[in-house]
């Protein structure tokens, strides 16, 4: 990633003239608000409207990403990596999104969150095998990650009225998404490590535009 004086934009509006703490609060609030709205919409679409086409959902979502990136002002002239850098990354990104969205047709939202909460463990394990990283974590960090996962699962199970419902098909789909997430996080980190000039906008734009054709096969 670029240096600390990198210009930051949110929906085309520059945040660089604001103090760092304001930038942090705005971006943090935007992240949590967006994640909350996304979760509510997914739960409504899959459980109330009985929509079950996860791959198509991901396909449309990809074009929404591209529109938002366009509002951010990103252009292909700002790319610093070749297109082939994003082929493997795009495949696992779209596979992860498609399986995650599709699993909601078989799992309720608390069950999906339970499984997705374990993402940190496969990401850490897979980091030891991804070229460009070969990360090794001390034993205490694995224990910390495990405790974090257990805490998130217990928090998800706290409300008995929204207890998770499981289906073997949904479990298989969300497990596949977790495996792809393990590759995804490490592929992204490897790209940032090998080329520090890579921006988040380039990463999202290129992985989305390269990944959309991958969705045509399962659709």
């Amino acid at each position: 990633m670029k240096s600390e004086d990198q210009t930051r934009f949110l929906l085309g509006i520059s945040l660089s003239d604001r103090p760092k703490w304001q930038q942090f609060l705005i971006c943090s609030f935007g992240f949590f608000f967006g994640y909350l709205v996304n979760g509510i919409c997914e739960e409504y679409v899959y459980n109330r409207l009985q929509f079950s086409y996860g791959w198509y959902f991901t396909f449309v979502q990809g074009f929404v990403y591209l529109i938002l990136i366009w509002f951010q002002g990103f252009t292909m002239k700002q790319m610093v990596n070749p297109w082939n850098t994003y082929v493997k990354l795009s495949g696992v990104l779209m596979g992860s999104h498609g399986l995650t969205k599709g699993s909601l047709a078989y799992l309720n939202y608390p069950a999906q969150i339970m499984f997705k909460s374990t993402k940190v463990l496969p990401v850490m394990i897979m980091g030891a095998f991804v070229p460009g990283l070969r990360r090794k974590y001390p034993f205490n960090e694995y224990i910390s990650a495990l405790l974090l996962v257990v805490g998130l699962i217990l928090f998800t199970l706290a409300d008995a009225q929204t207890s998770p419902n499981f289906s073997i098909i949904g479990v298989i789909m969300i497990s596949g998404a977790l495996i792809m997430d393990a590759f995804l996080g490490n592929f992204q980190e490897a790209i940032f490590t090998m080329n520090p000039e890579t921006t988040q906008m380039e990463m999202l734009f290129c992985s989305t535009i390269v990944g959309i054709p991958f969705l045509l096969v399962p659709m």
Side-chain angles (χ1 to χ4, degrees):
M1 298 169 63
K2 290 186 177 181
S3 59
E4 287 298 319
D5 60 351
Q6 176 185 354
T7 303
R8 293 177 176 85
F9 290 90
L10 181 64
L11 298 177
I13 301 173
S14 175
L15 302 179
S16 300
D17 56 341
R18 297 177 179 271
K20 288 288 194 298
W21 67 270
Q22 289 187 15
Q23 295 182 31
F24 173 76
L25 289 178
I26 291 172
C27 292
S28 299
F29 175 79
F31 169 78
F32 285 110
F33 178 77
Y35 198 83
L36 174 64
V37 172
N38 178 74
I40 293 172
C41 292
E42 285 185 356
E43 181 80 351
Y44 177 79
V45 167
Y46 279 91
N47 290 327
R48 295 297 180 88
L49 303 182
Q50 299 299 309
F51 185 86
S52 60
Y53 302 102
W55 299 109
Y56 179 72
F57 195 107
T58 305
F59 185 76
V60 174
Q61 192 177 54
F63 284 101
V64 175
Y65 286 164
L66 295 178
I67 293 172
L68 292 175
I69 293 170
W70 178 75
F71 276 118
Q72 285 284 89
F74 179 83
T75 64
M76 288 186 285
K77 294 180 181 179
Q78 300 172 25
M79 289 176 57
V80 296
N81 293 303
W83 284 102
N84 59 6
T85 302
Y86 297 98
V87 174
K88 290 187 293 184
L89 175 66
S90 302
V92 294
L93 173 65
M94 293 304 167
S96 172
H97 283 350
L99 290 171
T100 299
K101 308 299 184 191
S103 68
L104 281 174
Y106 306 95
L107 304 172
N108 64 357
Y109 201 69
Q112 189 210 63
I113 292 298
M114 268 185 57
F115 280 96
K116 292 293 284 185
S117 296
T118 66
K119 172 182 174 179
V120 62
L121 289 177
V123 168
M124 291 176 67
I125 295 171
M126 199 62 66
F129 303 98
V130 174
L133 288 180
R134 303 294 185 186
R135 289 190 177 276
K136 292 185 178 180
Y137 299 92
F139 181 73
N140 65 303
E141 291 193 18
Y142 282 105
I143 297 298
S144 299
L146 180 62
L147 292 174
L148 173 64
V149 169
V150 171
L152 289 169
I153 291 174
L154 292 175
F155 182 80
T156 304
L157 291 172
D159 189 350
Q161 294 182 345
T162 57
S163 59
N165 297 321
F166 296 97
S167 165
I168 185 62
I169 298 177
V171 170
I172 292 173
M173 292 179 72
I174 198 66
S175 297
L178 282 174
I179 294 173
M180 292 189 176
D181 278 341
F183 285 101
L184 177 63
N186 286 294
F187 281 157
Q188 289 176 327
E189 189 173 358
I191 292 173
F192 281 126
T193 300
M194 292 185 288
N195 193 343
E197 293 298 308
T198 305
T199 63
Q200 296 96 329
M201 283 297 103
E202 176 184 337
M203 178 76 70
L204 184 56
F205 173 81
C206 293
S207 56
T208 301
I209 204 169
V210 173
I212 284 177
F214 283 97
L215 295 172
L216 297 177
V217 177
M219 281 199 303

